């Protein structure tokens, strides 16, 4: 794990700068103490990071839970009672992992997963535009279309032009230029520019400029436009800010209902984030989902015990981790320690960082998640892929994350029912005389509902084995399955697995791209 320190340390610092305002913003959006967001970020990084087997996933407080958390605190009447529900939710998540409910994530089609990523990318960009210009009327981390201030996503952007903070805008613009120039020009010039992230340079320069601007009345940046970390004078002052759970009503129906709701929604968000993060991973690692639920459960127990918000694996921080070239889970763990150190040792220093420069980092993260080319790619895949994709995007942008996911899944199921499939016997494994040879035969029609079994069978193939994959009778192969096969190309190389693909067009040894193969196969029919 430590041989990739040159990748993981810079990545952890970038994720730290992304996570810091989000932890604080999500706490504010949840009507919870600001410190509770940082605590859940610390626990998500260190505790969940140590237990999880996800190499690049990052956990912490989730914007998608903010409305549920705010409602739960209000209905229970105290934050301490709510913390007992968080602890109980962690226990329920552990049970989810034990009974192997992690498989649920595999039943979400890739069109919905990609729609989720794209929708989140668009939301990040739209929500960060006001912060970029120095209009900080809404807390960082909010993702609902209707904001707590009464504005909506687009009205907030329109109001930016009457509320520009010149100093913040200049720093945000300089930060954006630095990151783009660093990533697209300098990284091609020397290895040094790959090790040191442009995002770090942008934050460093932005902070120096903010201090310099403080001597100029027209460029002065007020405190509300800066990161605002709770700054106790000493350790005892920090401990005084901690909240602890009240277990006096732990078995009341209200607490149990909220705990189950938190466990269910947090688990679903985690499983979808795992699926999406594994898709983004260039190494195509597969995260054990049941182990992830167990890790999240342990994390939520710890978080609830010391005053933190509910934890999930979160796609924004995870995608920033991927984009920063992290290689192992050490990056997530280190980001947790950085959050801890920042709260204990240097809160006043962090309070000089302008929100606008952090907005510039998040805008780049959002753009990489929602590249325009992806819309064209999904459209070219046909209506069965594009319709669930675009509907998921629209509902995430104009409603919120959970609505987008559930509506996207609903549409995806309808699409599958319209297409239907006649043969439920989709995969047949034949015994071979040679124990190193595995024969698999696909049936006539295969949909995303078959993802879990096919992915498991491919993942469990032993090293140095030979796979004979027969698709000669297959007339409909869902794009989700094609992408699993595409990911398997990397796994096969890493495990030295020889693949013989049998189709009506003949036999192919070790296909370099299943996407291209099936594209040509479709054209030849």
């Amino acid at each position: 794990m430590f041989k990739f320190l040159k990748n993981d340390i810079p990545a952890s610092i970038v994720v730290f700068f992304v996570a810091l305002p989000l932890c604080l913003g999500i706490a504010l959006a949840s009507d919870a103490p600001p410190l509770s967001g940082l605590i859940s970020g610390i626990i998500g990084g260190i505790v969940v990071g140590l237990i999880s087997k996800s190499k690049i996933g990052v956990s912490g407080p989730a914007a998608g839970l903010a409305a549920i958390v705010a409602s739960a605190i209000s209905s229970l009447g105290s934050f301490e009672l709510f913390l007992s529900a968080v602890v109980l939710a962690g226990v329920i998540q552990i049970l989810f992992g034990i009974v192997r409910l992690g498989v649920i994530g595999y039943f979400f089609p890739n069109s919905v997963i990609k729609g989720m990523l794209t929708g989140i990318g668009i939301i990040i960009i739209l929500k960060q535009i006001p912060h970029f210009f120095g209009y900080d009327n809404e807390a960082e981390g909010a993702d609902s279309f209707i904001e707590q201030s009464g504005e909506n996503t687009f009205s907030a952007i329109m109001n930016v032009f009457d509320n520009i903070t010149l100093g913040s805008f200049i720093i945000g613009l300089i930060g954006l230029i630095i990151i783009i120039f660093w990533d697209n020009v300098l990284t091609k010039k020397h290895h040094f520019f790959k090790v040191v992230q442009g995002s770090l340079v942008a934050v460093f320069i932005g902070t120096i400029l903010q201090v310099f601007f403080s001597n100029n009345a027209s460029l002065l940046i007020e405190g509300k436009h800066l990161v605002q970390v709770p700054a106790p004078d000493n350790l005892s002052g920090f401990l005084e800010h901690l909240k602890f759970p009240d277990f006096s009503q732990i078995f009341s129906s209200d607490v149990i209902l909220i705990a189950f709701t938190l466990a269910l929604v947090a688990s679903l968000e985690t499983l979808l984030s795992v699926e999406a993060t594994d898709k983004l991973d260039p190494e195509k690692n597969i995260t054990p989902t049941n182990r992830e639920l167990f890790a999240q459960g342990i994390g939520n127990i710890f978080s609830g015990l010391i005053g933190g918000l509910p934890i999930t694996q979160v796609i924004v921080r995870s995608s920033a981790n991927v984009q920063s070239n992290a290689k192992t889970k050490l990056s997530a763990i280190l980001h947790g320690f950085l959050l801890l150190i920042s709260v204990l040792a240097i809160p006043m220093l962090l309070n000089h960082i302008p929100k606008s420069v952090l907005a510039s980092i998040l805008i780049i993260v959002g753009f990489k998640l929602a590249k325009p080319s992806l819309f064209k790619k999904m459209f070219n895949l046909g209506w069965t892929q594009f319709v669930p994709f675009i509907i998921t995007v629209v509902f995430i942008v104009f409603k919120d994350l959970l609505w987008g996911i559930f509506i996207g899944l609903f549409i995806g199921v309808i699409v599958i029912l319209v297409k239907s499939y006649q043969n439920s016997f989709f995969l047949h494994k034949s015994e071979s005389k040679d124990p190193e040879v595995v024969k698999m035969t696909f049936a006539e029609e295969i949909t995303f509902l078959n993802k879990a079994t096919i992915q498991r069978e491919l993942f469990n193939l032993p090293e140095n084995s030979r796979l004979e994959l027969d698709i000669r009778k297959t007339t409909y192969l869902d794009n989700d399955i094609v992408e699993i096969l595409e990911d398997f190309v990397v796994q096969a190389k890493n495990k030295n697995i020889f693949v013989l693909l049998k189709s009506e067009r003949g036999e192919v040894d070790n296909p370099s791209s299943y996407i291209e193969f099936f594209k040509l196969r479709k054209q030849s029919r």
Side-chain angles (χ1 to χ4, degrees):
M1 183 166 68
F2 293 101
K3 72 176 182 177
F4 292 110
L5 280 174
K6 65 179 181 180
N7 300 96
D8 291 334
I9 290 177
S12 70
I13 298 173
V14 173
V15 176
F16 160 69
F17 281 122
V18 169
L20 180 65
L22 292 180
C23 289
L24 293 167
I26 291 168
L28 292 173
S30 304
D31 292 335
L35 192 58
S36 64
L38 291 170
I39 290 170
S40 58
I42 292 166
I43 298 297
I46 299 173
V47 176
V48 177
L50 286 169
I51 301 173
S52 168
K53 289 191 175 181
S54 176
K55 289 192 174 182
I56 54 175
V58 183
S59 297
L65 286 173
I68 296 174
V69 171
S71 174
I73 295 172
S74 176
S75 65
L76 290 176
S78 80
F79 185 64
E80 288 78 7
L81 278 175
F82 170 74
L83 292 177
S84 69
V86 175
V87 174
L88 184 57
V91 174
I92 295 171
Q93 280 188 293
I94 292 175
L95 294 175
F96 284 170
I98 291 173
V99 299
R100 309 183 71 80
L101 289 183
V103 72
I104 293 173
Y106 291 118
F107 292 97
F108 282 80
N110 282 344
S111 56
V112 175
I113 300 296
K114 289 181 178 179
M116 180 186 77
L117 286 171
T118 304
I120 289 173
I122 294 172
I123 279 291
I124 291 172
I125 294 170
L126 295 176
K127 292 292 188 181
Q128 292 304 316
I129 288 175
H131 297 296
F132 181 81
F133 285 93
Y135 179 50
D136 298 296
N137 199 37
E138 182 75 3
E140 296 268 0
D143 69 350
S144 294
F145 182 70
I146 303 298
E147 300 180 350
Q148 287 186 331
S149 61
E151 297 177 320
N152 62 51
T153 302
F154 296 109
S155 66
I157 294 174
M158 294 303 296
N159 289 335
V160 161
F161 300 104
D162 296 324
N163 296 277
I164 293 177
T165 303
L166 184 58
S168 291
F169 171 60
I170 292 173
I171 289 174
L173 184 61
I174 291 174
L176 194 64
I177 292 171
I178 288 172
I179 296 169
I180 293 173
F181 183 70
W182 199 279
D183 290 349
N184 293 287
V185 178
L186 294 182
T187 53
K188 299 175 183 177
K189 301 292 185 182
H190 196 278
H191 181 67
F192 169 80
F193 298 108
K194 293 181 179 179
V195 176
V196 178
Q197 297 288 323
S199 304
L200 307 183
V201 179
V203 171
F204 180 72
I205 292 177
T207 305
I208 292 176
L209 285 174
Q210 184 278 135
V211 175
F212 179 74
F213 287 173
S214 63
N215 297 318
N216 187 308
S218 62
L219 297 177
L220 175 67
I221 302 174
E222 298 177 1
K224 66 179 181 179
H225 304 303
L226 306 174
V227 170
Q228 295 176 318
V229 178
D233 295 329
N234 48 48
L235 181 59
S236 61
F238 171 77
L239 294 175
E240 288 175 2
H241 282 80
L242 294 180
K243 303 285 186 180
F244 300 99
D246 175 5
F247 291 111
S248 62
Q249 300 181 41
I250 186 69
F251 295 116
S252 70
S253 58
D254 288 342
V255 171
I256 292 174
L257 178 61
I258 288 172
F260 186 80
T261 302
L262 289 173
L264 189 63
V265 177
S267 297
L268 180 59
E269 284 207 30
T270 291
L271 293 173
L272 290 174
S273 181
V274 165
E275 178 86 355
T277 303
D278 286 351
K279 285 291 177 188
L280 295 173
D281 182 8
E283 302 294 329
K284 300 304 177 187
N285 293 294
I286 296 176
T287 301
T289 51
N290 295 310
R291 175 61 175 257
E292 189 64 27
L293 290 179
F294 177 83
Q296 297 292 331
I298 296 293
N300 274 316
I301 290 174
F302 273 84
S303 185
L305 286 174
I306 58 174
L309 294 176
I311 292 170
T312 75
Q313 189 180 120
V314 276
I315 193 60
V316 178
R317 274 153 272 186
S318 300
S319 60
N321 203 29
V322 175
Q323 293 170 19
S324 301
N325 201 31
K327 295 296 182 183
T328 74
K329 65 179 182 177
L330 186 62
S331 173
I333 297 170
L334 288 176
H335 117 276
F337 278 109
L338 288 173
L339 285 172
L340 177 61
I341 293 168
S342 71
V343 173
L344 295 178
I346 55 170
M348 295 304 296
L349 180 61
L350 294 174
N351 288 342
H352 286 288
I353 300 175
K355 291 181 180 179
S356 59
V357 74
L358 299 178
S360 68
I361 297 174
L362 285 166
I363 286 172
I364 296 296
V365 171
F367 179 78
K368 289 182 178 180
L369 286 174
K371 289 182 177 179
S373 59
L374 182 60
F375 287 86
K376 181 180 179 182
K377 177 182 176 182
M378 295 303 294
F379 182 80
N380 290 338
L381 288 173
W383 73 272
T384 60
Q385 294 297 309
F386 185 72
V387 170
F389 165 81
I390 200 65
I391 288 178
T392 302
V393 170
V394 168
F395 270 87
I396 287 176
V397 172
F398 287 95
K399 185 65 177 174
D400 59 35
L401 178 63
L402 293 176
W403 267 91
I405 291 170
F406 284 118
I407 295 296
L409 177 63
F410 177 71
I411 297 299
V413 170
I414 290 177
V415 168
I416 291 303
L417 291 176
V418 169
K419 291 291 293 182
S420 73
Y421 60 92
Q422 299 146 352
N423 191 350
S424 61
F425 187 67
F426 59 88
L427 177 65
H428 177 67
K429 286 181 65 177
S430 302
E431 295 295 330
S432 173
K433 295 180 181 178
D434 187 346
E436 294 184 355
V437 177
V438 178
K439 296 182 179 181
M440 293 185 184
T441 303
F442 282 2
E444 289 183 46
E445 301 191 24
I446 305 178
T447 72
F448 75 88
L449 297 174
N450 310 131
K451 282 169 58 176
T453 302
I454 292 175
Q455 190 168 55
R456 183 181 67 247
E457 294 292 346
L458 293 175
F459 183 76
N460 289 335
L461 288 173
E463 293 185 1
N464 304 313
S465 60
R466 175 187 174 94
L467 170 65
E468 293 183 7
L469 182 59
D470 191 343
I471 61 168
R472 286 175 290 189
K473 295 180 180 179
T474 306
T475 57
Y476 175 73
L477 192 63
D478 196 300
N479 186 69
D480 287 23
I481 310 301
V482 177
E483 291 199 8
I484 286 177
L485 294 173
E486 185 75 6
D487 292 346
F488 179 69
V489 171
V490 178
Q491 297 172 27
K493 288 180 180 178
N494 292 338
K495 296 171 70 173
N496 195 32
I497 297 173
F498 179 88
V499 180
L500 175 63
L501 180 65
K502 298 180 179 180
S503 75
E504 71 281 4
R505 291 168 49 209
E507 297 182 352
V508 180
D509 293 341
N510 291 321
S512 58
S513 173
Y514 288 89
I515 291 176
E516 293 301 319
F517 177 85
F518 286 106
K519 187 183 296 182
L520 293 172
R521 184 189 188 214
K522 192 174 182 180
Q523 292 172 355
S524 66
R525 289 186 169 179

